[in-house]
């Protein structure tokens, strides 16, 4: 029986990981702590660790895990920007779940867009208070609008299909465009200038860090809607706020935020919000924020647990894993 220290456990992780772990003969020790330099000691004595998006798997954490004889860090996410992959190489196997439900994330992006522009979240609160006034709830049609999709991988393509279903004109930018995909690729500059709605679906890398910044905000079409369900640091939050205040950006839908790691996924309702940028964003009437929940569907949770358990099993049976992050 292999024993895996499971960091940053949330209640929704338990049913699926317990089920698939039991079937594969893997025992998970569900820990509430996030993995970082202060908590890595909790992994001592285990055969591997399982980490999520706001765990910190830097060089120091990797060295400590290796000193404990741990050979695998099984990420239960697709993204791996929180891991020092260069340092891990040759020391520990870092594997991930490359795809678990692109539909979950793409559908959430569209749900946020519709909620925001049709003011569903405001209408919901009004009608519960017997306020049936329509003042201030005017939206706009998506049909005929131009949507710019940054990153046309698994999630971006599902989002494109959804947008086409709404009768929108789709343009896209990808560093590695797929000529056979039937997608109208344009430069990032053109995408920023022509889009009525921009949705980010590319990974966070040194190249994509603060892709939307003070300079690029100036290029945006007035009134543009920004959607980010990818990674918070694709957007410079201060530049975003300035763009909203200047009325350049008409609405913003964020499922991710660059400083989310100590805030998102937790109930902070009894605390004073220390992050002033986030507080200011939350107070904007045209900003909608969800707490990194785009992945959170039943289907995705099943796939995440099944593939993570398969990754761990493969590693212990063969010494390698086909989903290793190279
Ligand atoms: P993918 O790997 O299938 O697609 C990513 C696309 O981005 C690829 O087409 C790639 O060529 C493109 N790309 C790479 N570098 C680029 C650059 N510099 N500029 C523009 N495009 C670039 O990934 P997938 O599954 O579509 O996921 C996209 C992102 O969504 C992930 O990196 C992750 O950060 C985020 N995500 C968010 C979730 C959430 O719950 N909010 C859940 C799952 C993923």
């Amino acid at each position: 029986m292999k024993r895996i220290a499971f960091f940053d456990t949330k209640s929704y992780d338990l049913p699926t990981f317990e089920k698939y772990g039991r079937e594969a003969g893997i025992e998970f020790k569900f820990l509430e702590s996030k993995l970082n330099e202060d908590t890595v000691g909790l992994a001592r004595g285990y055969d591997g660790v399982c980490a999520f998006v706001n765990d910190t798997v830097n060089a120091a954490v990797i060295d400590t895990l290796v000193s404990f004889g741990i050979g695998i860090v099984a990420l239960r996410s697709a993204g791996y920007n929180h891991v020092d992959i260069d340092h891990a190489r040759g020391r520990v196997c870092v594997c991930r779940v490359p795809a678990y439900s692109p539909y979950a994330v793409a559908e959430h992006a569209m749900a946020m867009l519709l909620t925001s522009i049709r003011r569903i979240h405001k209408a919901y609160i009004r009608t519960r208070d017997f306020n049936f006034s329509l003042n201030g709830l005017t939206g706009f049609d998506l049909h005929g609008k131009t949507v710019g999709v940054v990153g046309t991988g698994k999630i971006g393509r599902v989002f494109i299909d959804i947008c086409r279903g709404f009768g929108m004109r789709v343009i896209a930018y990808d560093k590695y465009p797929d000529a056979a995909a039937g997608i109208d690729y344009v430069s990032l500059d053109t995408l920023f200038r022509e889009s009525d709605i921009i949705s980010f679906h590319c990974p966070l890398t040194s190249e994509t860090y603060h892709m939307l910044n003070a300079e690029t905000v100036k290029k945006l079409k007035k009134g543009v809607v920004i959607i980010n369900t990818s990674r918070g640091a694709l957007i410079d939050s201060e530049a975003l706020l300035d763009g909203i205040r200047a009325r350049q950006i008409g609405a913003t839908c964020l499922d991710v935020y660059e400083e989310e790691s100590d805030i998102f996924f937790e109930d902070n309702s009894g605390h004073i919000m220390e992050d002033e940028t986030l507080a200011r964003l939350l107070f904007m009437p045209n900003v909608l924020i969800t707490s990194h929940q785009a992945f959170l569907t039943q289907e995705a949770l099943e796939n995440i647990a099944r593939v993570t358990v398969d990754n761990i099993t493969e590693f212990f049976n063969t010494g390698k894993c086909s989903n290793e992050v190279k």
Side-chain angles (χ1 to χ4, degrees):
M1 165 89 63
K2 295 295 180 188
R3 298 177 68 236
I4 305 293
F6 191 104
F7 283 87
D8 200 13
T9 308
K10 300 286 178 272
S11 58
Y12 56 75
D13 291 317
L14 296 176
T16 48
F17 274 93
E18 277 174 346
K19 178 178 82 173
Y20 286 105
R22 201 181 316 112
E23 286 172 12
I26 292 170
E27 184 190 323
F28 288 107
K29 173 71 178 173
F30 294 105
L31 304 163
E32 280 186 20
S33 311
K34 287 190 178 61
L35 176 60
N36 55 42
E37 287 170 51
D38 296 329
T39 61
V40 63
L42 294 169
R44 189 192 292 273
Y46 288 90
D47 300 298
V49 301
C50 183
F52 196 45
V53 291
N54 289 323
D55 290 314
T56 305
V57 192
N58 59 18
V61 168
I62 290 167
D63 288 344
T64 308
L65 293 174
V66 172
S67 76
F68 294 161
I70 285 175
I72 181 167
V73 176
L75 303 177
R76 52 183 192 280
S77 61
Y80 50 86
N81 52 283
H82 52 305
V83 181
D84 186 338
I85 292 297
D86 287 336
H87 193 77
R89 198 168 294 118
R91 292 183 170 88
V92 67
C93 171
V94 178
C95 58
R96 66 179 183 130
V97 185
Y100 40 83
S101 173
Y103 311 104
V105 182
E107 288 171 15
H108 189 79
M110 180 50 84
M112 291 192 87
L113 174 60
L114 285 171
T115 303
S116 169
I117 66 164
R118 303 307 300 268
R119 317 279 195 265
I120 306 291
H121 52 315
K122 293 181 188 291
Y124 173 76
I125 290 168
R126 274 192 200 181
T127 53
R128 283 167 63 93
D129 204 23
F130 301 114
N131 175 355
F132 297 100
S133 154
L134 297 183
N135 290 340
L137 299 186
T138 308
F140 64 83
D141 291 3
L142 288 179
H143 188 271
K145 296 294 183 302
T146 298
V147 60
V149 178
V150 182
T152 57
K154 293 176 284 295
I155 296 170
R157 285 179 201 216
V158 175
F159 187 70
I160 287 172
D161 285 346
I162 293 171
C163 290
R164 285 179 175 155
F166 276 78
M168 301 168 84
R169 170 187 172 234
V170 178
I171 56 176
Y173 169 75
D174 195 300
K175 192 179 174 199
Y176 309 100
D178 176 357
I183 295 171
D184 183 9
Y185 285 106
V186 296
S187 68
L188 190 56
D189 194 69
T190 303
L191 185 144
F192 281 149
R193 290 181 195 283
E194 290 192 5
S195 301
D196 300 298
I197 294 135
I198 297 174
S199 194
F200 288 95
H201 299 289
C202 61
L204 175 61
T205 64
S206 51
E207 270 180 317
T208 61
Y209 177 79
H210 282 187
M211 208 170 201
L212 193 65
N213 54 43
E215 279 311 303
T216 49
V217 162
K218 287 185 203 147
K219 299 178 182 176
L220 301 177
K221 207 166 167 181
K222 198 166 171 51
V224 64
V225 181
I226 301 292
I227 310 167
N228 188 5
T229 57
S230 192
R231 284 294 179 266
L234 296 177
I235 296 179
D236 175 346
S237 308
E238 289 295 334
L240 179 75
L241 260 174
D242 289 345
I244 295 167
R245 273 198 295 252
R247 316 292 194 269
Q248 189 78 12
I249 296 171
T252 303
C253 307
L254 303 177
D255 185 52
V256 286
Y257 171 63
E258 58 181 328
E259 301 296 336
E260 72 179 47
S261 65
D262 291 329
I263 303 169
F264 279 24
F265 299 105
E266 308 296 337
D267 179 0
N268 289 303
S269 54
H271 299 264
I272 291 167
M273 177 53 66
E274 299 285 352
D275 186 322
E276 289 186 14
T277 306
L278 180 60
R280 278 186 293 157
L281 281 169
L282 282 164
F283 270 110
M284 294 285 179
N286 51 356
V287 174
L288 182 65
I289 298 185
T290 53
S291 178
H292 205 137
Q293 76 174 74
F295 74 99
L296 195 61
T297 66
Q298 193 53 50
E299 292 81 358
L301 290 177
E302 285 282 335
N303 289 335
I304 289 169
R306 184 177 46 74
V307 175
T308 304
V309 166
D310 285 351
N311 286 344
I312 295 168
T313 305
E314 184 187 351
F315 175 77
F316 285 117
N317 286 345
T318 67
K320 26 185 215 236
C321 178
S322 20
N323 286 326
E324 180 170 2
V325 183
K326 298 290 188 205

